[in-house]
Amino acid sequence: MSTGSIAGIGTDLLRVERIERIYARHGDRFVRRILGADEQLVHRRRQARDPSRGIRYLATRFAAKEAFSKAIGLGIHMPMTWSRVQVLNRPGGAPEIRLSGPLADWYATRFGRAHVSMTDEADMVAAFVVIEPLPAVADSKESIA
């Protein structure tokens, strides 16, 4: 049973131009630092079809990861790293956050589900993350009964 409480909220607003400049300077090194392996595959496909779509993909993922880091209260400090957070689309298209490595373990002991929403325009992207608290032990027992 959900109590409707929130453990954390994070948001980020970003100019696409900022990501364009960083990508122009660092190219694939920047992509590998920011994106996880599955995100890199999506980025390569989008970049090949239309370079501006590739940049917007980088920008939305960057913003979502910033918003996530704010929502969990870590910023970009261990165990939070860019590539340990992936924002991938479910089959229906809705984005979801997938964690890996030490960040996944750290997160699992502190928080419940993470919800992410992203939007992009030609010059700006935004992301919003809401973190649920861990379900209470009593809630877990109620749902089993």
Side-chain angles (χ1 to χ4, degrees), residues 14-139:
L14 176 67
R15 291 194 184 282
V16 173
E17 176 189 6
R18 177 177 170 210
I19 298 301
E20 286 174 324
R21 284 193 318 266
I22 296 169
Y23 183 74
R25 267 195 319 268
H26 302 288
D28 285 339
R29 196 172 85 207
F30 176 65
V31 171
R32 286 189 307 273
R33 180 167 182 239
I34 299 304
L35 301 181
D38 295 332
E39 290 172 318
Q40 289 177 37
L41 294 173
V42 175
H43 174 259
R44 274 195 287 277
R45 286 195 305 265
R46 291 187 184 193
Q47 187 79 13
R49 272 187 263 144
D50 179 355
S52 68
R53 283 190 71 204
I55 292 295
R56 280 198 315 276
Y57 183 83
L58 273 173
T60 56
R61 273 42 193 187
F62 188 96
K65 293 172 189 209
E66 279 280 330
F68 176 80
S69 72
K70 293 170 185 175
I72 62 173
L74 280 181
I76 306 299
H77 294 94
M78 287 298 201
M80 173 69 195
T81 65
W82 298 106
S83 61
R84 289 180 183 158
V85 178
Q86 292 195 92
V87 182
L88 300 163
N89 291 46
R90 288 184 233 148
E96 70 178 354
I97 293 175
R98 296 186 196 161
L99 306 177
S100 62
L103 179 59
D105 297 336
W106 179 88
Y107 183 92
T109 64
R110 290 164 175 81
F111 302 109
R113 286 192 60 205
H115 306 272
V116 60
S117 180
M118 301 174 295
T119 189
D120 65 280
E121 292 294 330
D123 62 337
M124 299 286 290
V125 300
F128 188 76
V129 173
V130 175
I131 305 292
E132 293 181 10
L134 273 177
V137 174
D139 288 345

Side-chain angles (χ1 to χ4, degrees), residues 2-6 133:
S2 175
T3 61
S5 55
I6 295 173

